[in-house]
Amino acid sequence: MGNLFDYVVWRGDLDFEKVPFGKIDALLLAQISYCLLDGFVSESFDEKITLNELAQRMKKAGDLEDRKKIGYLINKNTTDLLFKAGDSVRFGSVQICGYKNVYNEKIAEQFAALTFFADKRMIISYRGTDDSIVGWKEDFNIAWLEKIPSVIEAENYLGNAAKECKNKIIVIGHSKGGHLAVAASSSAEKNVQKRIETIYNFDGPGFEKQFYESAGFLNIKEKLVSVYPELSIVGMIFYHPSDFEIVKSDGVAVMEHDALTWQVCAKEFELAEDFNSKSKFFYKAFNEWAESLSKSQIEQFVKAIFSVIEASEAKSNSELMENSIVANAKMIAKYASFEKETKKEVRKVLGMLADAIHNNSPFVKLLRSFGENKD
């Protein structure tokens, strides 16, 4: 079996007339969407650049090494995937435009989207969570906000893109991007929903049960393709759709979330029979916990834990890792200022999350340390 790099080798000489756009193509473009494209791709839908042109310009960029530093939790080879795809027949002529990148600490919003044109279709891609603490905070806010800012942004983006271009539409996203793809498609106007051919949700956080009974979701339900790795944590947050595929991964623990670890054949994913026991445990434990609390209780918990993280003054997971000693001291001081009952509740929830997520990222180390803290 192989990964997305191997897929480009196997299928890179076949254009979309010979082999139509499919789910592995969608995953590849969703992964490329993590690349830092500011200054290379226009926000306008009228100014397009091919993937080959983008790759050539980026290779010559003076800040290329900085652009490759996408983040601690995003595969460092993502920019190289863009280069390899850009040099291929299959992806080199894919056009890109409509790049929007929003970062707002005040309202905890991390959003990015871009539009590809391939196989006579408009492919709207939403970026997943990046390396920023703001991005993680927005993910946690899904648990209590009716709509996180990125969902509103995604809905507007889809509506604007549909007005600008009259092609058939495919909507894609990995991680939070998958959540945005489903949310935006479900709330789109009916004439836009009719133009949507497929929605690809790659290990995106789910929704509360009633979402799947809404008229908007039912309108697009048959167009949704959801794919999760065997050990899925992000995709097990809230409830996932009833129909889905499970892909094999050579990632370790929570890093199975990394799409570059997913196993592909020439045409399809290498599928597994079921989620593993850790995914099932987290799915059950998280949703039972979420349903046992009111929205206001969850809001208080999220605000409490992120007040600790923000006390570190780090803006990203990478900064937490690079300055861990100073950051931990500041976070411990903030945690110590909590009232006893707040500490107890924070410990309980973080201990559960840390046990479910077997990973050594700075963020998860923080969860584990406070989950074990008895003070």
Side-chain angles (χ1 to χ4, degrees), residues 244-262:
F244 53 86
E245 296 180 353
I246 303 172
V247 63
K248 291 184 178 180
S249 165
D250 63 6
V252 178
V254 75
M255 293 313 292
E256 287 194 24
H257 181 60
D258 175 6
L260 280 170
T261 71
W262 293 10

PDB file of all heavy atoms in Angstrom, residues 244-262:
ATOM      1  N   PHE A 244     -20.199   5.798   6.482  1.00  0.00           N
ATOM      2  CA  PHE A 244     -18.816   6.265   6.464  1.00  0.00           C
ATOM      3  C   PHE A 244     -17.884   5.134   6.063  1.00  0.00           C
ATOM      4  O   PHE A 244     -18.272   3.965   6.020  1.00  0.00           O
ATOM      5  CB  PHE A 244     -18.403   6.816   7.830  1.00  0.00           C
ATOM      6  CG  PHE A 244     -18.660   5.863   8.973  1.00  0.00           C
ATOM      7  CD1 PHE A 244     -17.736   4.883   9.326  1.00  0.00           C
ATOM      8  CD2 PHE A 244     -19.847   5.930   9.695  1.00  0.00           C
ATOM      9  CE1 PHE A 244     -17.981   4.006  10.362  1.00  0.00           C
ATOM     10  CE2 PHE A 244     -20.106   5.052  10.743  1.00  0.00           C
ATOM     11  CZ  PHE A 244     -19.163   4.086  11.079  1.00  0.00           C
ATOM     12  N   GLU A 245     -16.635   5.487   5.752  1.00  0.00           N
ATOM     13  CA  GLU A 245     -15.592   4.518   5.463  1.00  0.00           C
ATOM     14  C   GLU A 245     -14.489   4.661   6.504  1.00  0.00           C
ATOM     15  O   GLU A 245     -14.252   5.756   7.026  1.00  0.00           O
ATOM     16  CB  GLU A 245     -14.999   4.742   4.062  1.00  0.00           C
ATOM     17  CG  GLU A 245     -15.990   4.528   2.934  1.00  0.00           C
ATOM     18  CD  GLU A 245     -15.358   4.763   1.566  1.00  0.00           C
ATOM     19  OE1 GLU A 245     -14.190   5.216   1.511  1.00  0.00           O
ATOM     20  OE2 GLU A 245     -16.030   4.512   0.562  1.00  0.00           O
ATOM     21  N   ILE A 246     -13.809   3.574   6.804  1.00  0.00           N
ATOM     22  CA  ILE A 246     -12.696   3.596   7.747  1.00  0.00           C
ATOM     23  C   ILE A 246     -11.438   3.189   6.998  1.00  0.00           C
ATOM     24  O   ILE A 246     -11.376   2.095   6.415  1.00  0.00           O
ATOM     25  CB  ILE A 246     -12.942   2.639   8.934  1.00  0.00           C
ATOM     26  CG1 ILE A 246     -14.250   3.012   9.637  1.00  0.00           C
ATOM     27  CG2 ILE A 246     -11.770   2.685   9.915  1.00  0.00           C
ATOM     28  CD1 ILE A 246     -14.681   2.017  10.699  1.00  0.00           C
ATOM     29  N   VAL A 247     -10.453   4.065   6.996  1.00  0.00           N
ATOM     30  CA  VAL A 247      -9.236   3.836   6.230  1.00  0.00           C
ATOM     31  C   VAL A 247      -8.103   3.374   7.140  1.00  0.00           C
ATOM     32  O   VAL A 247      -8.001   3.790   8.294  1.00  0.00           O
ATOM     33  CB  VAL A 247      -8.837   5.120   5.464  1.00  0.00           C
ATOM     34  CG1 VAL A 247      -8.525   6.259   6.426  1.00  0.00           C
ATOM     35  CG2 VAL A 247      -7.648   4.872   4.540  1.00  0.00           C
ATOM     36  N   LYS A 248      -7.267   2.494   6.622  1.00  0.00           N
ATOM     37  CA  LYS A 248      -6.088   2.068   7.368  1.00  0.00           C
ATOM     38  C   LYS A 248      -5.042   3.177   7.355  1.00  0.00           C
ATOM     39  O   LYS A 248      -4.948   3.950   6.394  1.00  0.00           O
ATOM     40  CB  LYS A 248      -5.506   0.789   6.769  1.00  0.00           C
ATOM     41  CG  LYS A 248      -6.375  -0.437   6.957  1.00  0.00           C
ATOM     42  CD  LYS A 248      -5.703  -1.691   6.420  1.00  0.00           C
ATOM     43  CE  LYS A 248      -6.566  -2.916   6.667  1.00  0.00           C
ATOM     44  NZ  LYS A 248      -5.937  -4.161   6.148  1.00  0.00           N
ATOM     45  N   SER A 249      -4.257   3.238   8.429  1.00  0.00           N
ATOM     46  CA  SER A 249      -3.245   4.283   8.560  1.00  0.00           C
ATOM     47  C   SER A 249      -1.983   3.682   9.158  1.00  0.00           C
ATOM     48  O   SER A 249      -2.043   2.748   9.964  1.00  0.00           O
ATOM     49  CB  SER A 249      -3.765   5.414   9.458  1.00  0.00           C
ATOM     50  OG  SER A 249      -2.709   6.253   9.885  1.00  0.00           O
ATOM     51  N   ASP A 250      -0.817   4.211   8.760  1.00  0.00           N
ATOM     52  CA  ASP A 250       0.426   3.782   9.397  1.00  0.00           C
ATOM     53  C   ASP A 250       0.892   4.800  10.430  1.00  0.00           C
ATOM     54  O   ASP A 250       2.021   4.781  10.894  1.00  0.00           O
ATOM     55  CB  ASP A 250       1.527   3.508   8.371  1.00  0.00           C
ATOM     56  CG  ASP A 250       1.922   4.748   7.570  1.00  0.00           C
ATOM     57  OD1 ASP A 250       1.430   5.849   7.884  1.00  0.00           O
ATOM     58  OD2 ASP A 250       2.734   4.602   6.635  1.00  0.00           O
ATOM     59  N   GLY A 251      -0.016   5.700  10.823  1.00  0.00           N
ATOM     60  CA  GLY A 251       0.286   6.655  11.881  1.00  0.00           C
ATOM     61  C   GLY A 251       0.245   5.995  13.248  1.00  0.00           C
ATOM     62  O   GLY A 251      -0.314   4.909  13.410  1.00  0.00           O
ATOM     63  N   VAL A 252       0.834   6.657  14.234  1.00  0.00           N
ATOM     64  CA  VAL A 252       0.860   6.146  15.600  1.00  0.00           C
ATOM     65  C   VAL A 252      -0.146   6.906  16.443  1.00  0.00           C
ATOM     66  O   VAL A 252      -0.094   8.136  16.528  1.00  0.00           O
ATOM     67  CB  VAL A 252       2.266   6.276  16.222  1.00  0.00           C
ATOM     68  CG1 VAL A 252       2.263   5.774  17.663  1.00  0.00           C
ATOM     69  CG2 VAL A 252       3.286   5.501  15.388  1.00  0.00           C
ATOM     70  N   ALA A 253      -1.088   6.183  17.041  1.00  0.00           N
ATOM     71  CA  ALA A 253      -2.095   6.757  17.935  1.00  0.00           C
ATOM     72  C   ALA A 253      -2.828   7.908  17.252  1.00  0.00           C
ATOM     73  O   ALA A 253      -3.291   7.772  16.127  1.00  0.00           O
ATOM     74  CB  ALA A 253      -1.454   7.187  19.246  1.00  0.00           C
ATOM     75  N   VAL A 254      -2.938   9.061  17.931  1.00  0.00           N
ATOM     76  CA  VAL A 254      -3.744  10.162  17.404  1.00  0.00           C
ATOM     77  C   VAL A 254      -3.195  10.711  16.088  1.00  0.00           C
ATOM     78  O   VAL A 254      -3.909  11.363  15.332  1.00  0.00           O
ATOM     79  CB  VAL A 254      -3.860  11.293  18.448  1.00  0.00           C
ATOM     80  CG1 VAL A 254      -2.585  12.088  18.559  1.00  0.00           C
ATOM     81  CG2 VAL A 254      -5.042  12.200  18.137  1.00  0.00           C
ATOM     82  N   MET A 255      -1.932  10.405  15.766  1.00  0.00           N
ATOM     83  CA  MET A 255      -1.370  10.887  14.508  1.00  0.00           C
ATOM     84  C   MET A 255      -1.940  10.148  13.300  1.00  0.00           C
ATOM     85  O   MET A 255      -1.606  10.478  12.159  1.00  0.00           O
ATOM     86  CB  MET A 255       0.153  10.787  14.536  1.00  0.00           C
ATOM     87  CG  MET A 255       0.802  11.740  15.549  1.00  0.00           C
ATOM     88  SD  MET A 255       0.164  13.443  15.495  1.00  0.00           S
ATOM     89  CE  MET A 255       0.774  13.999  13.893  1.00  0.00           C
ATOM     90  N   GLU A 256      -2.827   9.182  13.527  1.00  0.00           N
ATOM     91  CA  GLU A 256      -3.581   8.619  12.409  1.00  0.00           C
ATOM     92  C   GLU A 256      -4.482   9.680  11.772  1.00  0.00           C
ATOM     93  O   GLU A 256      -4.955   9.506  10.649  1.00  0.00           O
ATOM     94  CB  GLU A 256      -4.422   7.423  12.868  1.00  0.00           C
ATOM     95  CG  GLU A 256      -3.620   6.171  13.154  1.00  0.00           C
ATOM     96  CD  GLU A 256      -4.488   4.935  13.284  1.00  0.00           C
ATOM     97  OE1 GLU A 256      -5.608   4.927  12.738  1.00  0.00           O
ATOM     98  OE2 GLU A 256      -4.037   3.973  13.943  1.00  0.00           O
ATOM     99  N   HIS A 257      -4.696  10.758  12.493  1.00  0.00           N
ATOM    100  CA  HIS A 257      -5.474  11.877  11.950  1.00  0.00           C
ATOM    101  C   HIS A 257      -4.769  12.508  10.746  1.00  0.00           C
ATOM    102  O   HIS A 257      -5.412  13.103   9.881  1.00  0.00           O
ATOM    103  CB  HIS A 257      -5.677  12.911  13.055  1.00  0.00           C
ATOM    104  CG  HIS A 257      -6.481  14.105  12.665  1.00  0.00           C
ATOM    105  ND1 HIS A 257      -7.782  14.022  12.216  1.00  0.00           N
ATOM    106  CD2 HIS A 257      -6.170  15.445  12.671  1.00  0.00           C
ATOM    107  CE1 HIS A 257      -8.244  15.241  11.968  1.00  0.00           C
ATOM    108  NE2 HIS A 257      -7.280  16.107  12.211  1.00  0.00           N
ATOM    109  N   ASP A 258      -3.464  12.381  10.676  1.00  0.00           N
ATOM    110  CA  ASP A 258      -2.647  12.934   9.597  1.00  0.00           C
ATOM    111  C   ASP A 258      -2.982  12.213   8.294  1.00  0.00           C
ATOM    112  O   ASP A 258      -2.742  11.013   8.152  1.00  0.00           O
ATOM    113  CB  ASP A 258      -1.172  12.766   9.966  1.00  0.00           C
ATOM    114  CG  ASP A 258      -0.216  13.203   8.862  1.00  0.00           C
ATOM    115  OD1 ASP A 258      -0.677  13.749   7.833  1.00  0.00           O
ATOM    116  OD2 ASP A 258       1.002  12.996   9.043  1.00  0.00           O
ATOM    117  N   ALA A 259      -3.521  12.931   7.325  1.00  0.00           N
ATOM    118  CA  ALA A 259      -3.951  12.314   6.063  1.00  0.00           C
ATOM    119  C   ALA A 259      -2.795  11.701   5.285  1.00  0.00           C
ATOM    120  O   ALA A 259      -3.008  10.797   4.467  1.00  0.00           O
ATOM    121  CB  ALA A 259      -4.670  13.349   5.202  1.00  0.00           C
ATOM    122  N   LEU A 260      -1.578  12.148   5.530  1.00  0.00           N
ATOM    123  CA  LEU A 260      -0.435  11.579   4.827  1.00  0.00           C
ATOM    124  C   LEU A 260      -0.032  10.209   5.364  1.00  0.00           C
ATOM    125  O   LEU A 260       0.857   9.569   4.816  1.00  0.00           O
ATOM    126  CB  LEU A 260       0.756  12.548   4.883  1.00  0.00           C
ATOM    127  CG  LEU A 260       0.689  13.682   3.859  1.00  0.00           C
ATOM    128  CD1 LEU A 260       1.753  14.730   4.123  1.00  0.00           C
ATOM    129  CD2 LEU A 260       0.834  13.146   2.443  1.00  0.00           C
ATOM    130  N   THR A 261      -0.693   9.773   6.437  1.00  0.00           N
ATOM    131  CA  THR A 261      -0.468   8.413   6.933  1.00  0.00           C
ATOM    132  C   THR A 261      -1.539   7.448   6.437  1.00  0.00           C
ATOM    133  O   THR A 261      -1.446   6.254   6.678  1.00  0.00           O
ATOM    134  CB  THR A 261      -0.459   8.371   8.477  1.00  0.00           C
ATOM    135  OG1 THR A 261      -1.799   8.591   8.976  1.00  0.00           O
ATOM    136  CG2 THR A 261       0.484   9.411   9.062  1.00  0.00           C
ATOM    137  N   TRP A 262      -2.543   7.958   5.749  1.00  0.00           N
ATOM    138  CA  TRP A 262      -3.643   7.105   5.289  1.00  0.00           C
ATOM    139  C   TRP A 262      -3.179   6.250   4.109  1.00  0.00           C
ATOM    140  O   TRP A 262      -2.464   6.720   3.224  1.00  0.00           O
ATOM    141  CB  TRP A 262      -4.845   7.943   4.894  1.00  0.00           C
ATOM    142  CG  TRP A 262      -5.480   8.651   6.066  1.00  0.00           C
ATOM    143  CD1 TRP A 262      -4.982   8.759   7.336  1.00  0.00           C
ATOM    144  CD2 TRP A 262      -6.726   9.349   6.074  1.00  0.00           C
ATOM    145  NE1 TRP A 262      -5.836   9.470   8.133  1.00  0.00           N
ATOM    146  CE2 TRP A 262      -6.918   9.849   7.390  1.00  0.00           C
ATOM    147  CE3 TRP A 262      -7.695   9.604   5.116  1.00  0.00           C
ATOM    148  CZ2 TRP A 262      -8.040  10.593   7.751  1.00  0.00           C
ATOM    149  CZ3 TRP A 262      -8.824  10.342   5.460  1.00  0.00           C
ATOM    150  CH2 TRP A 262      -8.994  10.831   6.778  1.00  0.00           C
TER     151      TRP A 262
END
